[in-house]
Each structure stands twice: as structure tokens, then as C-alpha cells.
Amino acid sequence: MKILFLSHTDSNLYRFRLPVMIALVKAGHEVLALTPKGEYFSQFAKHQITAIDYSIERSSLNPFKALKTIQNIAEILKKEKPDILHTFMLKPNIYGSFAAKIAKIPYVINSLTGLGSFYIQKTPKTFLLKILIERLNFFAFKIAKKVLFQNQDDLELYVKKGLVPRKKTILIKGSGIDTEFFSPLPKNQVLLQSLKIPQDSLVVLMIARAILHKGIKEYYTAANLAKEANLKLHFLYVGGIDTGNISPIDQEFLENQKQVHYLGERQDIKELIGICDIFVLPSYREGIPRTLLEAGSMAKPIITTNAVGCKEVVSNGYNGFLVPIGDSQILFEKLIQLSQNESLRKEFGKNSRKKICEEFGVESIVKSYLQLYKEVKNVSTLH
């Protein structure tokens, strides 16, 4: 059986979908990754996954370019003839479904891993874009056999809006986390020294794309409040500039605010989480945030927002704190509370590890994906 995964970046497939893809390969199925060529593109081959390049402009609204991309995808689908097409992210869901219709690929699964900035930013432009996106999704979902959501809020919203019938929906919380790989680590003293972090400071870490709705400005403001209060906290922020998003954060802002040590994009994510004492993500809305799963799996206490997607990972007062969206002051107050209570940090960290292993471990998530493919194609060979 041949299953083709379609996304708008190779990092999206490699970082978030790889466990499912590897499980399919191990079960004897042929797996393809259709994605623009980037830094992860060549890595698929070592997992016996065939990577195929195509071009897509994430930020373009030009209908002629969209039609060209759809036709390009359709030609690849006609050539490869996958048994199942599984699409991820906004444009791949829409373009992939229409291309599958052209190529006569009957078994399509769309995944909404989060509703994105259009559901957060309140401007006339984003309002009109949201209407357009919802109409295009409506038609794409008519083609798809199943529409996968990562949290119940997004699922209920789309069903309520009449964009997808409930019988077509399925809820799978995230893409799974390898809890053995992301296990607690002793602090890497060499890394701490290389980052010039004072020995008497606690490390606060945020990892997210550099867009407004990840709560970066709230994080920077809280860091400034901590500095004014002379708290011994060292703030790190890791994330690349996302120019394809409607609300990117300016690089000059990230680099010039000295209260936060901006590290840009990094490959040593596991090691960075390993040296932190408190993990923070003040996001406005998520699907299921991968960074929270990684930090939780590594037994870190977490401060995040009471937002869709985030509240699925953190139970307030159990493995971290949930703060109101956009509230730097309460974020700062919770940082004070955690920084001054080592036993609470340890308790939250222990509970984080337990929660992630029980609810988001890769084995159970992969099993859910394989069951989905079996249901969609009704093929008894998938197990």
C-alpha cells in the first residue's frame, strides 16, 4: 500500500509526522513525502521514505499561482498513484484535495493541526480571508474521506459552522512524542557556559516560530518585569522568522531587546530544553503545540496560556500554570511563584512527564493513525 504525505514545508513532515511515517514503513507500506525542498528534504531517505519536491508560495493569494500548484500536485499524484493522500496545513489541505479530484485519487485525509492566525487577528483583511478559507475548506472537506483535528475545540467549531459533517471528523491529539528520546537530561554545563548563563540564574525558555500570536511580546515584557525586579532569571528565546505568516515578528525587535537572549533557529532543541528550569509558551491558539509536549516529556514545569491546544497539554496547578492570553503581568507573577519554589518546580516537572507519557506517547498516537488509515481504506493488512 502506498501512502503520500503532503505539506508546505519539509520540516512540518519531518519534525511532526515522522513517527507515523516510520511506523507505516515498518508495517511494509510505501511512504512518500511530497514537500518543497528544504533542510530536512534529504533526511527522509534514511528512513526509507521517498521525498518528492514541488513548489508552493505560502503567502501568495494569486489564483493563477494556486491553480498552477494544484495542477503540479495533480500531475505528481497521477504518476505516483497513492492509495491514500494525507494532507497537512491549510493550503496543502485545499490544494491537495482539489488535485486528488483531478488525479482521481479517491482516499484523501485532511488534517487541521491548528486554525492559525486568521482565527486570532481581528482585522477586515483577516475576516475576509477567514471567510475565503472556510469556503475553500468546505469544498476540500467534501472531497476528503476524513478530516483530522488535534483538539476538540477546533473540531466543534468547524462542525458548528457547518464546514464538515461530524461523521467525517476524527480527533487525534497531536502527532505523538517519543518519550524515550525526550527524556529528562542532566544540565549540560558546556552549553550553559557557551551561552554565558550565570551559575546562580534559573533558565527560562521559549521555543516557537517568530510570529505575534505565539505570545512573544508578552514573553519579552515578562522578561523585562523580571529584570526590573532583579530576579535571577535568564530568558532564552528560540525561533526563526516566519515571513510566510500574516503576523511575523521583526528580527530587529528580537535582537535588540536585551532582557531576552535571542538564539534564532537551533538544531539542539533537546539540549536547550535540558538546561531550562521553566518552559514558557504564551500562545494565543494552537493545535497541540509540539514544544510543550517535548518540554513536558523532559519533566519541565510549564507556564502557558488557557488557550485552545495549550490547555490540552497543561493542567493548571498540576504540571504547570495556565495564564490568560495576552497577560504579561500574570505570566510574570507565575514566573516569580515557580522561580521561588524549587519543590513546586520538581512536582510540576514530574507530573508533566507522567501526563505526556500517558496521553501523548508516540505508540498510542501512531496506533490511532494506523487505525484511521485502516478505516479510510478498509484494508485489513494495516495493523
Side-chain angles (χ1 to χ4, degrees), residues 4 12-13 17 20-21 70 123 144 213 218 243 248 261 264 307 328 341:
L4 189 148
N12 178 267
L13 290 183
R17 324 300 165 200
V20 176
M21 301 169 89
I70 291 169
T123 67
H213 302 131
E218 288 81 357
T243 55
H261 187 173
S328 301
N341 193 332

mmCIF file of all heavy atoms in Angstrom, residues 4 12-13 17 20-21 70 123 144 213 218 243 248 261 264 307 328 341:
data_model
loop_
_atom_site.group_PDB
_atom_site.id
_atom_site.type_symbol
_atom_site.label_atom_id
_atom_site.label_comp_id
_atom_site.label_asym_id
_atom_site.label_seq_id
_atom_site.Cartn_x
_atom_site.Cartn_y
_atom_site.Cartn_z
ATOM 1 N N LEU A 4 0.845 8.789 0.581
ATOM 2 C CA LEU A 4 1.592 10.008 0.277
ATOM 3 C C LEU A 4 1.198 11.101 1.267
ATOM 4 O O LEU A 4 0.018 11.401 1.447
ATOM 5 C CB LEU A 4 1.312 10.448 -1.159
ATOM 6 C CG LEU A 4 2.172 11.589 -1.717
ATOM 7 C CD1 LEU A 4 2.383 11.418 -3.228
ATOM 8 C CD2 LEU A 4 1.560 12.959 -1.444
ATOM 9 N N ASN A 12 7.774 20.480 8.492
ATOM 10 C CA ASN A 12 6.475 20.102 9.050
ATOM 11 C C ASN A 12 6.289 18.589 9.040
ATOM 12 O O ASN A 12 5.838 18.001 10.022
ATOM 13 C CB ASN A 12 5.346 20.780 8.262
ATOM 14 C CG ASN A 12 3.972 20.383 8.758
ATOM 15 O OD1 ASN A 12 3.365 19.447 8.241
ATOM 16 N ND2 ASN A 12 3.479 21.082 9.756
ATOM 17 N N LEU A 13 6.657 17.951 7.948
ATOM 18 C CA LEU A 13 6.531 16.494 7.870
ATOM 19 C C LEU A 13 7.605 15.798 8.694
ATOM 20 O O LEU A 13 7.321 14.848 9.422
ATOM 21 C CB LEU A 13 6.619 16.032 6.410
ATOM 22 C CG LEU A 13 5.442 16.374 5.499
ATOM 23 C CD1 LEU A 13 5.651 15.776 4.110
ATOM 24 C CD2 LEU A 13 4.124 15.898 6.083
ATOM 25 N N ARG A 17 5.522 14.517 11.682
ATOM 26 C CA ARG A 17 4.807 13.335 11.153
ATOM 27 C C ARG A 17 5.692 12.104 11.013
ATOM 28 O O ARG A 17 5.206 11.026 10.673
ATOM 29 C CB ARG A 17 4.197 13.638 9.775
ATOM 30 C CG ARG A 17 3.666 15.041 9.587
ATOM 31 C CD ARG A 17 2.560 15.426 10.536
ATOM 32 N NE ARG A 17 2.378 16.876 10.498
ATOM 33 C CZ ARG A 17 1.783 17.579 11.429
ATOM 34 N NH1 ARG A 17 1.298 16.984 12.505
ATOM 35 N NH2 ARG A 17 1.676 18.886 11.323
ATOM 36 N N VAL A 20 4.805 8.460 12.510
ATOM 37 C CA VAL A 20 3.744 7.747 11.792
ATOM 38 C C VAL A 20 4.285 7.188 10.476
ATOM 39 O O VAL A 20 4.004 6.039 10.108
ATOM 40 C CB VAL A 20 2.550 8.686 11.523
ATOM 41 C CG1 VAL A 20 1.484 7.979 10.691
ATOM 42 C CG2 VAL A 20 1.961 9.180 12.833
ATOM 43 N N MET A 21 5.079 7.988 9.783
ATOM 44 C CA MET A 21 5.639 7.561 8.503
ATOM 45 C C MET A 21 6.560 6.345 8.689
ATOM 46 O O MET A 21 6.506 5.381 7.919
ATOM 47 C CB MET A 21 6.390 8.732 7.844
ATOM 48 C CG MET A 21 5.501 9.942 7.596
ATOM 49 S SD MET A 21 6.426 11.429 7.132
ATOM 50 C CE MET A 21 6.496 11.233 5.361
ATOM 51 N N ILE A 70 -1.861 23.443 -7.904
ATOM 52 C CA ILE A 70 -2.805 22.321 -7.888
ATOM 53 C C ILE A 70 -2.540 21.382 -9.053
ATOM 54 O O ILE A 70 -2.530 20.155 -8.894
ATOM 55 C CB ILE A 70 -4.259 22.845 -7.924
ATOM 56 C CG1 ILE A 70 -4.601 23.538 -6.602
ATOM 57 C CG2 ILE A 70 -5.246 21.707 -8.196
ATOM 58 C CD1 ILE A 70 -5.903 24.321 -6.626
ATOM 59 N N THR A 123 -8.923 41.851 11.938
ATOM 60 C CA THR A 123 -8.862 42.967 11.005
ATOM 61 C C THR A 123 -9.802 42.668 9.839
ATOM 62 O O THR A 123 -10.172 41.511 9.620
ATOM 63 C CB THR A 123 -7.433 43.161 10.454
ATOM 64 O OG1 THR A 123 -7.089 42.020 9.634
ATOM 65 C CG2 THR A 123 -6.408 43.295 11.576
ATOM 66 N N ALA A 144 -12.550 15.023 0.824
ATOM 67 C CA ALA A 144 -11.852 14.171 1.795
ATOM 68 C C ALA A 144 -12.790 13.124 2.391
ATOM 69 O O ALA A 144 -13.981 13.355 2.571
ATOM 70 C CB ALA A 144 -11.259 15.033 2.909
ATOM 71 N N HIS A 213 1.369 35.871 17.324
ATOM 72 C CA HIS A 213 0.367 35.116 18.072
ATOM 73 C C HIS A 213 0.941 33.953 18.874
ATOM 74 O O HIS A 213 0.178 33.216 19.507
ATOM 75 C CB HIS A 213 -0.719 34.636 17.112
ATOM 76 C CG HIS A 213 -1.375 35.767 16.387
ATOM 77 N ND1 HIS A 213 -1.556 35.769 15.024
ATOM 78 C CD2 HIS A 213 -1.839 36.958 16.853
ATOM 79 C CE1 HIS A 213 -2.128 36.908 14.669
ATOM 80 N NE2 HIS A 213 -2.305 37.644 15.748
ATOM 81 N N GLU A 218 4.568 39.238 24.835
ATOM 82 C CA GLU A 218 4.227 39.029 26.240
ATOM 83 C C GLU A 218 5.400 38.405 26.992
ATOM 84 O O GLU A 218 5.678 38.757 28.145
ATOM 85 C CB GLU A 218 2.997 38.125 26.362
ATOM 86 C CG GLU A 218 1.685 38.781 25.967
ATOM 87 C CD GLU A 218 1.432 38.814 24.466
ATOM 88 O OE1 GLU A 218 2.304 38.383 23.690
ATOM 89 O OE2 GLU A 218 0.360 39.270 24.060
ATOM 90 N N THR A 243 8.287 34.568 7.581
ATOM 91 C CA THR A 243 7.790 35.604 6.673
ATOM 92 C C THR A 243 6.546 35.151 5.912
ATOM 93 O O THR A 243 5.858 35.969 5.310
ATOM 94 C CB THR A 243 8.885 35.999 5.662
ATOM 95 O OG1 THR A 243 9.347 34.813 4.980
ATOM 96 C CG2 THR A 243 10.060 36.658 6.366
ATOM 97 N N PRO A 248 4.356 38.241 11.233
ATOM 98 C CA PRO A 248 5.708 37.908 11.688
ATOM 99 C C PRO A 248 6.256 38.954 12.659
ATOM 100 O O PRO A 248 5.879 40.122 12.607
ATOM 101 C CB PRO A 248 6.519 37.911 10.382
ATOM 102 C CG PRO A 248 5.782 38.859 9.493
ATOM 103 C CD PRO A 248 4.327 38.696 9.835
ATOM 104 N N HIS A 261 17.662 36.617 25.662
ATOM 105 C CA HIS A 261 18.773 36.143 24.829
ATOM 106 C C HIS A 261 18.180 35.413 23.628
ATOM 107 O O HIS A 261 17.724 34.282 23.744
ATOM 108 C CB HIS A 261 19.653 35.217 25.664
ATOM 109 C CG HIS A 261 20.919 34.796 24.986
ATOM 110 N ND1 HIS A 261 21.896 34.075 25.638
ATOM 111 C CD2 HIS A 261 21.389 34.980 23.723
ATOM 112 C CE1 HIS A 261 22.879 33.837 24.796
ATOM 113 N NE2 HIS A 261 22.587 34.380 23.634
ATOM 114 N N GLY A 264 17.794 32.606 17.724
ATOM 115 C CA GLY A 264 17.432 32.272 16.347
ATOM 116 C C GLY A 264 16.954 30.828 16.244
ATOM 117 O O GLY A 264 16.437 30.256 17.190
ATOM 118 N N ALA A 307 -5.391 28.629 26.424
ATOM 119 C CA ALA A 307 -5.786 28.750 25.021
ATOM 120 C C ALA A 307 -6.079 27.375 24.430
ATOM 121 O O ALA A 307 -5.599 26.353 24.930
ATOM 122 C CB ALA A 307 -4.667 29.432 24.219
ATOM 123 N N SER A 328 0.855 39.732 30.304
ATOM 124 C CA SER A 328 2.262 39.635 30.702
ATOM 125 C C SER A 328 2.431 39.701 32.211
ATOM 126 O O SER A 328 3.336 39.083 32.768
ATOM 127 C CB SER A 328 3.079 40.762 30.060
ATOM 128 O OG SER A 328 2.996 40.712 28.667
ATOM 129 N N ASN A 341 10.155 28.565 44.215
ATOM 130 C CA ASN A 341 9.685 27.332 44.846
ATOM 131 C C ASN A 341 10.240 26.116 44.101
ATOM 132 O O ASN A 341 9.623 25.606 43.168
ATOM 133 C CB ASN A 341 8.153 27.302 44.855
ATOM 134 C CG ASN A 341 7.587 26.216 45.757
ATOM 135 O OD1 ASN A 341 8.224 25.183 45.970
ATOM 136 N ND2 ASN A 341 6.388 26.431 46.260
#
